[in-house]
Amino acid sequence: MKLIFLGPPGAGKGTQAAIISKKLNIPTISTGEMLRAAIKAGTPIGLKAKTFMDAGKLVPDEVIIGIIGQRLEESDCKDGFILDGVPRTIAQAEALENSGIDFDRVISLEVGDEAIVKRMSGRRVCAKCGATYHMESKPPKAEGLCDECGGELTVRSDDKPETVRDRLKVYHSETEPLKEFYAKRGRLREVHGDQDMAAATKAIEEALV
């Protein structure tokens, strides 16, 4: 199956996409992970993307579509894939459609803004190994330190409350219109993302039928 996961930042798209990808044996393609890898490597495209991400703004379409197009040509995508974090705009959706990429289902995870702010401001990332934690749902054994390597846990700049609120404004104005775009094509399925993980996964599986 060819799937898209939509939803505001912090709605659980990455977590649920990872679960569904294992069940369906198809890869998850996360633009966020690909962009962060490019930033860490200091590539030109990574440095260009970083200036936008740090400000809580969307990365330009040509950067996103270029990365995705290259990724979908790889052999592990031949039986399907899950796009996580793209498309984020109508223009991106049209660019994907015009390039001949079609989708079976578009899953929209629905979570309220304040729940998102609370969820994301609690996230912590190890500065050394990249392991992720949450102060409520997955706290480290020792406060401020990674369980895996003992590295310092930090708050990513795009997880700070003020940046999260800016990102949510961008989501509502730029990305939320995609729901209507895919609803008109009969692809959209809405799932409540504020229930527990197992219940959300079950609801997604039912929406894929």
Side-chain angles (χ1 to χ4, degrees), residues 19-82:
I19 294 170
I20 298 299
S21 74
K22 284 184 180 178
K23 289 178 179 288
L24 298 181
N25 195 29
I26 56 177
T28 297
I29 300 170
S30 166
T31 50
E33 287 178 10
M34 284 191 285
L35 286 169
R36 280 193 286 275
I39 289 168
K40 191 172 182 179
T43 64
I45 200 169
L47 294 173
K48 184 178 180 182
K50 187 177 189 300
T51 59
F52 292 91
M53 292 174 72
D54 285 350
K57 295 180 180 178
L58 293 175
V59 177
D61 289 351
E62 65 269 16
V63 177
I64 297 294
I65 300 302
I67 289 175
I68 292 299
Q70 290 176 350
R71 181 67 182 85
L72 294 185
E73 291 175 1
E74 296 181 23
S75 60
D76 62 336
C77 293
K78 70 181 188 307
D79 294 325
F81 50 83
I82 300 173

Side-chain angles (χ1 to χ4, degrees), residues 126 128-133 138-142 145-153:
C126 177
K128 194 173 178 182
C129 74
T132 58
Y133 299 85
K138 188 189 173 186
K141 293 173 183 174
L145 297 176
C146 177
D147 295 350
E148 304 296 325
C149 71
E152 180 186 359
L153 298 184

